[in-house]
């Protein structure tokens, strides 16, 4: 199914949501990732198998990877150190992370805390002006499953659309008990945190 064309800011909102979900997955770690540069490079070598693959992943030369691995060079520039840390965290304990995602998608659901602009499409006589709000809401397991699917590109909805629909149904419509014609837009995300 083709994805709808969305405004430019929506891609930035999706990126923020994806980062929040990744951070939530990292909270499931049972052990901390390697802290030393040498330990991180050796971990990446174990996952990617060659210094060439590690160099391509990090956007540095193969010789730099070898220097970091042997300890010849101990202090990479901050941008490279950040890339190394991000690459390690992305590959650290994938089974633990997947188990938490499956649990959230099957039973526990997710909690979303966000500060964003919420606009409304509602019956005549009500205000539909968007405004910045801070909201914390627990979304059932179905929304967690749909969010994880949207991150993988499965289905017609983007991560932003899944979260917007969940907030609309659970927070504004109180799970179908009020405001049945209300439609909520979730845009201009200032802050978002997800936990599961």
């Amino acid at each position: 199914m083709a994805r709808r064309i969305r405004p430019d800011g929506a891609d930035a909102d999706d990126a923020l949501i994806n980062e929040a979900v990744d951070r939530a997955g990292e909270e499931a770690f049972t052990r901390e990732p390697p802290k030393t540069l040498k330990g991180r490079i050796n971990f990446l070598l174990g996952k990617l198998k060659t210094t060439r693959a590690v160099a391509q992943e990090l956007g540095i030369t193969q010789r730099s990877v070898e220097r970091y691995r042997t300890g010849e060079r101990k202090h990479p520039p901050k941008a490279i150190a950040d890339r190394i840390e991000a690459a390690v965290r992305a590959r650290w304990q994938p089974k633990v992370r997947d188990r938490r995602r499956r649990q959230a998608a099957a039973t526990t659901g997710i909690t979303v805390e966000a500060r964003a602009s919420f606009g409304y499409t509602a019956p005549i006589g009500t205000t539909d002006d968007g405004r910045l709000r801070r909201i914390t809401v627990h979304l059932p397991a179905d929304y967690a499953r749909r969010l994880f699917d949207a991150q993988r590109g499965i289905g017609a909805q983007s991560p932003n659309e899944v979260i917007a629909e969940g907030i609309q149904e659970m927070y504004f419509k109180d799970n179908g008990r009020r405001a049945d014609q209300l439609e909520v837009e979730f845009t201009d995300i200032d802050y978002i945190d997800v936990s599961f």
Side-chain angles (χ1 to χ4, degrees):
M1 188 178 278
R3 210 171 259 234
R4 290 188 300 171
I5 296 174
R6 304 173 62 231
D8 294 336
D11 289 334
D13 289 345
D14 282 341
L16 288 172
I17 291 168
N18 289 335
E19 287 173 17
V21 171
D22 289 343
R23 281 193 313 269
E26 291 176 6
E27 291 173 7
F29 291 163
T30 58
R31 292 185 334 244
E32 285 296 313
K35 295 210 180 285
T36 65
L37 177 64
K38 190 174 179 180
R40 289 175 177 176
I41 293 296
N42 285 332
F43 173 77
L44 290 174
L45 278 168
K47 293 294 181 182
L48 300 174
K49 306 297 181 212
T50 66
T51 54
R52 174 181 279 168
V54 172
Q56 286 176 339
E57 172 73 18
L58 301 174
I60 59 178
T61 66
Q62 190 172 347
R63 181 69 184 125
S64 291
V65 171
E66 292 165 359
R67 286 183 183 132
Y68 295 145
R69 186 175 63 84
T70 61
E72 185 180 330
R73 198 157 172 224
K74 297 180 181 177
H75 303 288
K78 181 165 176 18
I80 293 173
D82 290 346
R83 278 185 263 163
I84 292 169
E85 182 178 4
V88 168
R89 288 184 97 61
R91 289 168 178 80
W92 187 252
Q93 294 189 331
K95 290 180 183 176
V96 171
R97 200 183 308 225
D98 288 344
R99 184 174 43 239
R100 283 289 291 270
R101 282 177 176 247
R102 282 194 309 273
Q103 183 181 13
T107 57
T108 60
I110 60 174
T111 300
V112 177
E113 180 182 334
R115 186 172 54 230
S117 177
F118 291 90
Y120 315 95
T121 303
I124 296 175
T126 59
T127 181
D128 61 355
D129 293 337
R131 63 185 171 127
L132 198 64
R133 287 181 183 235
R134 182 175 179 180
I135 291 178
T136 301
V137 63
H138 181 77
L139 303 180
D142 180 54
Y143 288 102
R145 181 187 48 76
R146 290 172 45 202
L147 175 62
F148 300 147
D149 286 348
Q151 279 190 298
R152 292 191 306 261
I154 299 170
Q157 288 184 306
S158 71
N160 180 286
E161 292 167 334
V162 173
I163 296 283
E165 182 183 327
I167 291 173
Q168 168 185 296
E169 296 301 317
M170 302 311 293
Y171 184 85
F172 290 100
K173 291 186 174 184
D174 195 17
N175 203 17
R177 290 189 276 276
R178 61 185 166 97
D180 63 337
Q181 295 179 8
L182 183 74
E183 290 186 24
V184 175
E185 290 181 3
F186 178 56
T187 58
D188 301 326
I189 297 172
D190 180 46
Y191 161 82
I192 186 165
D193 193 32
V194 174
S195 60
F196 50 86

